[in-house]
Amino acid sequence: AWLSRCVGRPRNAFRFAGTKDRCACTVQAVSCSGLHPWDLQQAVLHPEWPPMLFFSNLEMRPQGLGLGGLMGNRFDGVLRDIDLNLCGTTEGKATLESRFQRVAKHGFANYFGLQRFGSQRIRSFHVGAAILSKRFDDAVRLLLGDGSSLGQER
């Protein structure tokens, strides 16, 4: 909405290759037919321009983007709460290394993004909290849009 308002084009003039989590720091490819670089220069001067929105890799192309038009995603993950005792032993280091290699080779599922499930009513952190609390039945219900278990943690 910011981009369309600041550029002075309708929202449906912009095409995206995928959807993004509004709370994440992400990179997104966007196309807009007939939009020129000087239009973007003027847009960043608009009083409503969000300071956290940046442009890079601008180019003119004959075709616009479409949903699913890119070749996959790349995510940077942060590991927290690593058991330091595991890191301090040869066996623990080998275990961690094999797990990192498995993730590097196969990747991992992003279970927590709204874009994965399409629900705006049930936030991804509710699903994540249910999974982390081992309330798997609740997590599945939440994924299917049933919010009746919200606020009823056991």
Side-chain angles (χ1 to χ4, degrees), residues 109-141:
N110 176 7
Y111 293 110
F112 304 113
L114 287 177
Q115 73 271 24
R116 300 293 174 243
F117 306 108
S119 171
Q120 295 299 317
R121 187 172 69 91
I122 298 175
R123 304 300 305 258
S124 58
F125 65 84
H126 294 301
V127 178
I131 291 171
L132 294 173
S133 300
K134 298 185 179 180
R135 294 182 291 111
F136 302 114
D137 288 346
D138 288 344
V140 170
R141 284 188 195 91

Side-chain angles (χ1 to χ4, degrees), residues 36-95:
H36 297 283
W38 57 84
D39 296 324
L40 294 175
Q41 288 174 333
Q42 291 302 308
V44 298
L45 300 174
H46 192 283
E48 292 184 53
W49 186 260
M52 70 285 221
L53 186 60
F54 300 95
F55 290 108
S56 65
N57 304 328
L58 297 175
E59 57 185 275
M60 303 287 276
R61 290 193 173 186
Q63 297 290 337
L65 291 172
L67 201 57
L70 298 178
M71 300 298 293
N73 294 314
R74 190 187 119 247
F75 295 93
D76 293 326
V78 176
L79 299 177
R80 293 187 174 91
D81 300 325
I82 300 293
D83 182 355
L84 295 179
N85 293 323
L86 194 61
C87 298
T89 66
T90 303
E91 180 182 322
K93 288 178 185 177
T95 299

